[in-house]
């Protein structure tokens, strides 16, 4: 499932390609699952709208739309497990599992393709993700949020009501770098540990954004390119391999809150 860095990569790729373009017409497929708003609402919000900006909010991609004589609207896309947003030439073959096509004035098309159909399309007048942005939150607010949680710190990091967009890969990587054991209750972390975790999380997310995200299963960017961050992973799915910090203990895998969790039993306390 794409996480914050992958969604950021897709949003940046789209922003560079379609900002300022105008959606002339919209085609929606007949599968009901991808549509979180009524089809006619999506069509009326998108058609004849200018794309003023494309950005990421949590794990959502938000197209800010401007339409003459109407309130600004947003087209909100969640990629789910296998969703992709592609910018295609009209003559390019329409992929199987294409659920929406927005035809642009420039002649290109934005296509939403999603084989497993966990992705979602919606329109909203003022979309905001539920949790705080991990790259914008202050250390003070970060510490306050996690100090109140009795959940294991790994589960708290994944809680989208606390932070928006952190998923399994980057939670494991941030905890490894901060030397904090995933099972620890969040409220038991000291100020020093919370600070280490805050710094580690922002660092790992920013590095992954720079690398274009992590390619797991079939995630690809808006131009079909693959991310490179999988080569920089230090804990995630390295179970059985030697820890890169202490160089003696093997990375262990446990299941925590139903999610595969990877850590070094020697380095992470
Ligand atoms: Zn270690």
């Amino acid at each position: 499932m794409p996480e914050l860095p992958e969604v950021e990569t897709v949003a940046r790729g789209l922003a560079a390609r379609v900002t300022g373009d105008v959606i002339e017409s919209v085609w929606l497929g007949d599968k009901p699952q991808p549509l979180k708003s009524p089809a006619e609402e999506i069509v009326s919000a998108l058609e004849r709208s200018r794309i003023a900006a494309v950005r990421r909010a949590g794990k959502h991609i938000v197209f800010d739309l401007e339409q003459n004589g109407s309130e600004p609207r947003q087209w909100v896309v969640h990629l789910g497990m296998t969703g992709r947003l592609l910018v295609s030439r009209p003559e390019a073959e329409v992929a199987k599992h294409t659920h929406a096509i927005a035809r642009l004035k420039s002649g290109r098309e934005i296509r939403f393709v999603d084989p497993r159909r966990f992705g979602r399309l919606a329109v909203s007048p003022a979309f905001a993700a539920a949790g705080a942005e991990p790259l914008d939150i202050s250390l003070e607010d970060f510490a306050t949020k996690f100090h109140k949680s009795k959940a294991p710190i790994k589960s708290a990091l994944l809680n989208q009501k606390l932070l928006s967009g952190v998923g399994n890969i980057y939670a494991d990587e941030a905890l490894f770098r901060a030397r904090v054991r995933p099972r620890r209750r969040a409220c038991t972390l000291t100020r020093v540990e919370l600070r280490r975790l805050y710094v580690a999380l922002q660092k790992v997310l920013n590095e992954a954004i720079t690398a274009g995200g992590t390619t797991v299963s079939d995630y690809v960017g808006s131009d079909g390119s693959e991310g490179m961050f999988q080569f920089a992973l230090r804990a995630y799915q390295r179970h059985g391999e030697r820890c890169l910090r202490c160089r003696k203990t093997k990375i262990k895998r446990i299941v925590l809150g139903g999610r595969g969790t990877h850590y070094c039993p020697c380095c992470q306390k």
Side-chain angles (χ1 to χ4, degrees):
M1 173 175 301
E3 297 189 24
L4 186 154
E6 293 78 47
V7 180
E8 178 76 29
T9 302
V10 173
R12 287 184 187 182
L14 287 164
R17 287 176 179 78
V18 303
T19 301
D21 216 328
V22 173
I23 299 173
E24 289 199 318
S25 63
V26 174
W27 171 88
L28 295 174
D30 53 10
K31 298 281 188 291
Q33 299 94 328
L35 306 186
K36 236 187 133 190
S37 302
E40 53 279 13
E41 229 173 86
I42 296 179
V43 171
S44 83
L46 267 61
E47 283 188 347
R48 290 176 304 281
S49 283
R50 180 180 170 274
I51 301 169
V54 189
R55 58 197 167 81
R56 178 190 59 77
K59 284 192 217 177
H60 297 82
I61 293 165
V62 178
F63 295 77
D64 290 308
L65 303 175
E66 292 171 350
Q67 206 178 85
N68 275 343
S70 314
E71 291 294 306
R73 294 287 209 95
Q74 291 158 348
W75 177 24
V76 183
V77 180
H78 193 283
L79 297 174
M81 306 276 287
T82 52
R84 287 188 291 155
L85 276 168
L86 301 170
V87 180
S88 306
R89 312 286 330 163
E91 62 272 19
E93 196 183 333
V94 175
K96 216 176 158 188
H97 309 296
T98 297
H99 303 295
I101 299 176
R103 298 182 192 92
L104 304 175
K105 203 172 175 183
S106 63
R108 296 166 306 165
E109 299 178 345
I110 303 173
R111 297 179 183 175
F112 179 67
V113 182
D114 187 7
R116 293 190 61 187
R117 299 205 294 267
F118 288 107
R120 295 291 179 260
L121 306 178
V123 289
S124 158
F127 179 80
E133 269 298 327
L135 294 174
D136 298 341
I137 191 172
S138 69
L139 171 60
E140 208 46 53
D141 290 349
F142 180 89
T144 309
K145 268 181 197 285
F146 288 98
H147 196 67
K148 281 189 207 149
S149 170
K150 291 189 175 73
I153 184 64
K154 161 91 187 263
S155 309
L157 283 172
L158 295 182
N159 181 346
Q160 300 296 305
K161 289 180 186 142
L162 296 177
L163 292 181
S164 233
V166 180
N168 208 33
I169 299 175
Y170 300 103
D172 279 6
E173 291 298 308
L175 287 166
F176 177 82
R177 292 183 187 208
R179 310 196 299 280
V180 173
R181 204 171 273 227
R183 264 198 224 279
R184 283 269 301 280
R185 290 191 183 280
C187 57
T188 68
L189 267 66
T190 64
R191 273 209 77 85
V192 174
E193 287 171 326
L194 281 168
R195 194 193 146 74
R196 276 210 312 260
L197 182 57
Y198 171 82
V199 171
L201 180 63
Q202 293 200 340
K203 203 157 180 276
V204 82
L205 290 173
N206 279 318
E207 283 174 19
I209 290 168
T210 306
T214 302
T215 298
V216 279
S217 68
D218 41 12
Y219 152 78
V220 284
S222 68
D223 56 354
S225 64
E226 297 193 345
M228 295 301 281
F229 194 71
Q230 65 271 27
F231 302 116
L233 296 173
R234 298 181 194 173
Y236 183 75
Q237 285 188 349
R238 288 198 68 249
H239 47 288
E241 292 178 53
R242 257 176 237 286
C243 167
L244 294 169
R245 182 184 289 113
C246 64
R247 299 188 179 278
K248 54 180 204 294
T249 310
K250 286 186 175 157
I251 296 291
K252 193 172 168 182
R253 182 183 189 275
I254 57 169
V255 176
L256 183 57
R259 311 298 301 273
T261 295
H262 312 78
Y263 70 99
C264 173
C266 168
C267 298
Q268 291 172 255
K269 309 286 183 207

